[in-house]
Amino acid sequence: MSLNKVLPPALLGILSHLIIKRNEPRRLTSNLVLGCLVLPLIVARSTNPRDIVFSYIVLYATWISSVVLYRLSPLHPLARFPGPVLAKVSKLWGVWVSSRGHQHLVLKSLHDKHGPIVRIGPNELSICDSDAVLSVLGAEGLPKGTYYDARQDPTAPRNLIVLRGEEHAQRRKLWNRGMSSESLLEYAEVISKRALQLSEKLEAAGGQVDLAAWIGYFSFDFMGDMAFGGGFEMLRDNGDKEGLWEVMDSFTYAAALVSHVPWGALAIQRLSWVAKPLLALRKFGVDCATKRIKQGATKKDLWYHLTDEAGLEKTRPLVPNVIAEGALAIIAGSDTAATALCALMYLLLTHPESMNRAREEVDSVYPPGSNALDTRLHDQLHFLQACTSEALRLHPPVPTNGPRIVPLGSKGKVIAGQFIPEGTQIYVPPYCLHRDPRYFSPSPDEFIPERWFKEGAADNLAFIPFSYGPANCVGRNLARQEILMVTSLLLQQFDIEIAEKEDFVPSVFEDALHDQFVCSRGKLRVRLSKRS
Ligand code: HEM
């Protein structure tokens, strides 16, 4: 092949890279990508199919080589940060790691090896340093990264988790109202009803049960009640008869992969295994909302606040927006709380001394026959509160969280003592911070609830199971209330131990915690007997 056949597509390949540089396209339909599909045809200057194919091969080979060499070269603005070569080259590394469900463990081992700042994408860093909590997540921090765009259902209105700036602040006002201490009192009634149903069901199931599954049914039913005034009946049906759990799981798994490659999101969202759960989730939201609207306001649930039924805003929120928020509540509030509850039960069951102490405390605060769901006594559950924090520390239900971005045009920002150039996405992973000996000593990997009694422990900036700053978890107080209520009731009502102790391998429970942004769980088989 002559030079004049190689040179035009090769130059075009390099030019395409120079134009994109660090600005990855957000959509496959971007003009540039379309151009690259058509231009090789033009620069081939031939109608011979072989020449045309050759032109395509040369263009893409030079383009890809140019991208790879640049990303690995000292010229790249993140060149000085260590990290796996494949991660520096392509975001497909992130997709691969997420597909295995162990992103949090991979990041932890990278931080153990390389220190507090690791390059985990061509333009991405993971920063395990409490300084980043303030400067990335805090009030003066950074906006959410492009990762979040791919989590958005393209045909539905945007919900709180993907909104930014003023729009986020406005929507958050409604959520804050729905999570005020006055509202939490109302929700305690709803939690009580479902927690008692859980206890009855566990008693009826008797003997050995998969506690993780039952806790899952409880938390989905409760969030359905909260968001739409009812919807799920998994406890009643002894399982997920409508397959909604599977829908939710497929959705979170697909979203966890797609979020790494927003440019592929639109195409991937059209794949049937991604589109089906999205459609099913949307249909579920619309059905529940329609029912809730017909039913009217019977109680002040989350829907009441999100639709501003009290009429406190100048303009009422639109119903489609509220449906999107309701679906978010189910996704953000059910799996997270279920994982936290399961992790707490698992840690108590595998640490008999702590279990005994927690039970003694519950017995003294809620003696037999008294109401273990009375939230006014939560202040007295010092040890159980410490166990809850310790469970959230060791197994944060959102172990990696989504990245923030140093905005383009901002000229960069100093974070954890390092200059980070604009356009860089930054993760501040809770799982890594929570197990860092600089912040949790001694024995950061051990379950030691007593560490929370040390002076200042509650103010530890490195403890971020609910994230931090203006986009932190709006449901954190509700989650803690839910965890304390359910655990108090279970400990008051049942003797619980691990089933088939001799075959029990603790790592199986921990390995089954898959990081799909929110953690999915495996089984937790226990033997239950009603306390006399
Ligand atoms: C133990 C249970 C929970 C944990 C560990 C947890 C954790 C988190 C985390 C880490 C975030 C930040 C996500 C991000 O930065 O992208 C978040 C956001 C959020 N959580 Fe939770 N969450 C829990 C329970 C709940 C509950 C019960 C609700 C109630 C509906 C809820 C609703 C939300 C919402 C709406 C957001 C978005 C907040 C915003 O962007 O302003 N969460 N949660």
Side-chain angles (χ1 to χ4, degrees):
M1 283 286 172
S2 60
L3 195 62
N4 69 350
K5 290 227 159 104
V6 177
L7 217 50
L11 287 176
L12 200 59
I14 294 170
L15 187 70
S16 309
H17 171 222
L18 288 181
I19 294 173
I20 293 188
K21 224 32 191 316
R22 297 185 68 216
N23 308 320
E24 290 171 32
R26 296 208 174 174
R27 305 209 149 166
L28 271 183
T29 50
S30 77
N31 294 342
L32 185 75
V33 179
L34 271 183
C36 290
L37 286 178
V38 178
L39 286 175
L41 206 77
I42 300 168
V43 292
R45 285 175 298 153
S46 162
T47 48
N48 181 341
R50 274 185 60 191
D51 289 346
I52 293 173
V53 170
F54 180 76
S55 178
Y56 273 95
I57 293 173
V58 172
L59 183 138
Y60 284 109
T62 43
W63 189 9
I64 292 169
S65 312
S66 169
V67 168
V68 169
L69 288 174
Y70 172 66
R71 289 177 175 180
L72 293 176
S73 79
L75 296 176
H76 193 282
L78 300 184
R80 66 186 192 284
F81 298 110
V85 171
L86 288 178
K88 291 178 186 176
V89 167
S90 169
K91 273 303 292 163
L92 293 176
W93 179 85
V95 176
W96 164 249
V97 170
S98 286
S99 73
R100 317 284 298 162
H102 289 156
Q103 181 178 224
H104 57 309
L105 302 180
V106 172
L107 294 192
K108 166 86 170 67
S109 69
L110 287 174
H111 282 295
D112 287 347
K113 185 169 166 201
H114 297 297
I117 307 190
V118 181
R119 187 168 163 201
I120 56 162
N123 298 308
E124 287 181 6
L125 297 174
S126 171
I127 305 189
C128 178
D129 192 301
S130 64
D131 178 53
V133 172
L134 280 177
S135 47
V136 174
L137 304 172
E140 303 297 315
L142 301 172
K144 287 183 174 173
T146 54
Y147 175 98
Y148 286 87
D149 298 339
R151 303 190 73 81
Q152 168 67 34
D153 174 352
T155 58
R158 295 166 82 76
N159 60 33
L160 186 71
I161 203 132
V162 293
L163 291 175
R164 276 100 164 164
E166 190 46 35
E167 263 187 302
H168 176 269
Q170 283 304 322
R171 191 74 61 82
R172 176 95 186 199
K173 252 171 50 188
L174 296 172
W175 273 91
N176 284 343
R177 226 176 266 145
M179 293 292 167
S180 66
S181 35
E182 193 190 317
S183 305
L184 290 196
L185 273 181
E186 302 246 1
Y187 305 152
E189 261 182 58
V190 189
I191 301 178
S192 295
K193 197 185 105 212
R194 288 297 187 183
L196 288 170
Q197 192 183 5
L198 169 69
S199 164
E200 279 161 22
K201 284 288 181 174
L202 289 175
E203 191 181 345
Q208 275 193 31
V209 295
D210 175 9
L211 190 59
W214 283 101
I215 285 178
Y217 304 153
F218 157 81
S219 79
F220 273 87
D221 280 357
F222 164 58
M223 282 317 297
D225 296 346
M226 275 274 299
F228 297 115
F232 303 119
E233 282 302 341
M234 294 190 193
L235 284 170
R236 182 198 65 197
D237 297 344
N238 298 333
D240 178 19
K241 294 264 158 64
E242 295 186 50
L244 285 165
W245 203 329
E246 208 182 305
V247 164
M248 217 78 81
D249 212 41
S250 311
F251 169 76
T252 50
Y253 182 68
L257 306 196
V258 167
S259 306
H260 289 286
V261 282
W263 45 266
L266 268 188
I268 294 170
Q269 274 158 357
R270 288 201 181 102
L271 298 175
S272 74
W273 66 277
V274 180
K276 253 169 86 183
L278 261 183
L279 283 174
L281 196 61
R282 204 177 314 139
K283 181 176 175 318
F284 171 76
V286 172
D287 290 350
C288 291
T290 313
K291 213 171 84 193
R292 177 66 175 79
I293 291 165
K294 265 198 205 140
Q295 180 183 305
T298 52
K299 55 182 169 297
K300 289 184 184 170
D301 52 13
L302 189 57
W303 178 272
Y304 174 92
H305 295 286
L306 294 178
T307 47
D308 187 31
E309 277 181 25
L312 302 172
E313 298 293 312
K314 276 194 205 122
T315 46
R316 283 283 289 275
L318 300 169
V319 171
N321 287 354
V322 187
I323 295 176
E325 297 300 341
L328 168 65
I330 308 276
I331 293 169
S334 47
D335 255 340
T336 45
T339 298
L341 267 164
C342 289
L344 173 58
M345 288 311 294
Y346 157 76
L347 288 164
L348 288 174
L349 287 163
T350 47
H351 295 82
E353 269 181 35
S354 299
M355 175 62 111
N356 288 340
R357 190 166 164 193
R359 177 182 302 239
E360 275 166 24
E361 182 177 79
V362 167
D363 284 349
S364 75
V365 177
Y366 302 113
S370 68
N371 177 14
L373 297 163
D374 185 349
T375 56
R376 287 170 306 178
L377 304 182
H378 280 181
D379 283 354
Q380 298 178 33
L381 295 171
H382 304 289
F383 188 66
L384 198 53
Q385 301 228 25
C387 291
T388 306
S389 296
E390 194 63 347
L392 288 168
R393 183 183 73 80
L394 284 173
H395 300 296
V398 183
T400 303
N401 207 356
R404 303 318 192 234
I405 190 165
V406 183
L408 291 171
S410 67
K411 299 208 166 68
K413 182 164 176 148
V414 174
I415 298 165
Q418 295 282 337
F419 174 76
I420 312 292
E422 59 184 70
T424 306
Q425 294 206 87
I426 298 171
Y427 290 81
V428 185
Y431 183 87
C432 301
L433 276 166
H434 291 182
R435 288 174 180 250
D436 189 322
R438 287 174 300 165
Y439 308 118
F440 298 95
S441 276
S443 315
D445 291 328
E446 298 294 316
F447 178 67
I448 309 177
E450 292 76 7
R451 73 171 84 239
W452 292 97
F453 296 136
K454 275 196 224 155
E455 215 185 312
D459 304 324
N460 191 338
L461 253 189
F463 182 59
I464 52 164
F466 297 108
S467 190
Y468 183 84
N472 70 351
C473 177
V474 70
R476 62 199 179 285
N477 294 333
L478 174 67
R480 280 198 179 264
Q481 172 169 304
E482 193 182 341
I483 294 168
L484 288 180
M485 287 176 80
V486 173
T487 315
S488 301
L489 185 69
L490 291 183
L491 295 191
Q492 188 206 45
Q493 299 286 311
F494 296 100
D495 283 319
I496 313 176
E497 55 175 5
I498 294 281
E500 289 147 11
K501 263 193 207 142
E502 46 300 339
D503 299 329
F504 180 72
V505 184
S507 60
V508 171
F509 176 83
E510 298 188 15
D511 289 348
L513 290 171
H514 279 191
D515 180 358
Q516 300 177 179
F517 187 77
V518 171
C519 260
S520 65
R521 308 160 297 284
K523 290 184 172 43
L524 180 58
R525 295 208 63 81
V526 301
R527 185 182 299 284
L528 288 163
S529 51
K530 185 92 174 148
R531 291 177 74 187
S532 47

